[in-house]
Each structure stands twice: as structure tokens, then as C-alpha cells.
Amino acid sequence: MFDWSQLVLPSPGVVAASLYRGFSTGYFLPHIWQTTMEVLLGLALGGAIGFACGLALGESAFVRRVVMPYVVASQVMPKLALAPLLTVWLGFGTLPMVVITALVCFFPLLESTLTGIGQADPARLELFRMLGASRWKTLWRLKVPTGLPGILAGLRMAVVLALVGAVVGEFIGGSVGLGALIIAAQGSMDTPLMFAVLALITVQGLLLYHAVVGLQQFLLRRYVGPLTPGS
């Protein structure tokens, strides 16, 4: 209606044509794989460390009082501001992008785990103590199952942040990946390609998010019961 230039706002048909060319020539595939690998590795690393630290902080009030202020202070610093420094330390390539993604994913899992295992029913905790359950068994048989919905909510948040961290990290120090592809498209003034890559990032984020939702439904099926009679 406004007859805008394709450089400013390309039409959906032009963006679709750019997507078709990228897939038909195989141009997109290495970039999609690179970003997916960074997201999955960073999520696994940051999520595992965040989960372990959340358990440790939740089990020890002394450790929580000593360590938690430093953890919170470290989260105030924007992780993406560390990207140039990580590039200097670790070089270019996959490793600094994975580390940035892990740093972004760390705190949501820590906070959700810390909060989740603190939601155990005091009556059940007392029952476990009366039965002589060890601290380890109480943690894994009561606290973690009780806090599992909250922990998985943190994982859902972390997977979205992981994609943001990987893509923006590629803006700064990546040569391959969807973020790096956006920067390359910007340099060549290829606006349709930028919109095409944004569409790819959106689809990738939705797939990752729904994969975590499917994992949540699988892990929590014993708590919510069957979805249909006889299933």
C-alpha cells in the first residue's frame, strides 16, 4: 500500500523466495547446524552446572548465605558484554559461543532448582526423617520430585535464552551460524535474507521450546495421570 522499497520492508513473497534459495542450495544448513549445536551444548553445560549448584545451595543454608550474593552479583553483568573478552581468551569458533550460551542458561536452572527443592511438604520431610532416610535419599526421593515442575519451568526459560545467547554471541564473534548470517546479510544490504534468517530463528526457537514441553509432559506424566482413558 505504501510502495516501500524491498530494501526497507521486503514482501512475504520475496522473503519466501530467499528461504527457498537458501534451502535449495544448501546455504542455510551449515548455519542452522552451527547454531543448533551451540544452543544444545550451551544448554547442557549451563543447565547441568545450574542444576548442581541449585541443589548445593538448597541443601546448605551456610553455602547459600556465603555464595548466593556473589552469584546474584555475577548475573547483573550482561553476559553478552563478555563475548569480546571470551573471544580474546578462547579464540573464534564454537567454544566461546557455547560458553556464552552456558552462562545465559546457568541462572534460570539454578534459581528454579533452588526454589523447587525448597517446596517440599514439611510433613513429608518429617516422615522421611522418622523413617531414617539419609539426606541424599531425601533429596532425590522427595525434594527433587516435588520441585520437578519448577525445575522444568526454569529449563523452558533457559532454552529460549540459550537461543538468544547463541545468536547474539554470533553477532560479535561468530563466522558461522544464524547470527553471523544476519550480520553478513546486513553487510551486503540483503534485507530479504535478514528476514528469512529471522524466520528460521523463530522456527528453531519454537521447535526447541516445544521439545522441552514434550520432555516436561513425559517426566510429569506420573504426577498428572493419563491424558486419555486407557492411554
Coordinates of all heavy atoms in Angstrom, one line a residue, residues 224-231:
V224 N 0.4 -36.2 36.8 CA -0.8 -35.7 36.3 C -1.7 -36.8 35.8 O -2.9 -36.6 35.5 CB -0.6 -34.7 35.1 CG1 0.2 -33.5 35.6 CG2 0.1 -35.4 33.9
G225 N -1.2 -38.1 35.7 CA -2.1 -39.2 35.2 C -2.2 -39.2 33.7 O -1.7 -38.3 33.0
P226 N -2.8 -40.2 33.2 CA -3.0 -40.3 31.7 C -3.9 -39.2 31.2 O -4.8 -38.7 31.8 CB -3.7 -41.7 31.6 CG -4.4 -42.0 32.9 CD -3.5 -41.3 33.9
L227 N -3.5 -38.8 30.0 CA -4.3 -37.7 29.3 C -5.6 -38.2 28.8 O -6.6 -37.4 28.8 CB -3.4 -37.1 28.2 CG -2.1 -36.5 28.6 CD1 -1.4 -36.0 27.4 CD2 -2.3 -35.4 29.6
T228 N -5.7 -39.5 28.4 CA -7.0 -40.0 27.9 C -7.2 -41.4 28.6 O -6.3 -42.0 28.9 CB -6.9 -40.2 26.4 OG1 -5.8 -41.1 26.0 CG2 -6.7 -38.9 25.7
P229 N -8.5 -41.8 28.7 CA -8.8 -43.1 29.3 C -8.1 -44.2 28.5 O -8.2 -44.3 27.3 CB -10.3 -43.2 29.2 CG -10.7 -41.7 29.1 CD -9.7 -41.0 28.3
G230 N -7.4 -45.1 29.3 CA -6.8 -46.2 28.7 C -5.4 -45.9 28.1 O -4.8 -46.8 27.5
S231 N -4.9 -44.6 28.1 CA -3.7 -44.3 27.5 C -2.5 -44.7 28.4 O -2.7 -44.9 29.6 CB -3.6 -42.8 27.1 OG -3.7 -42.1 28.3

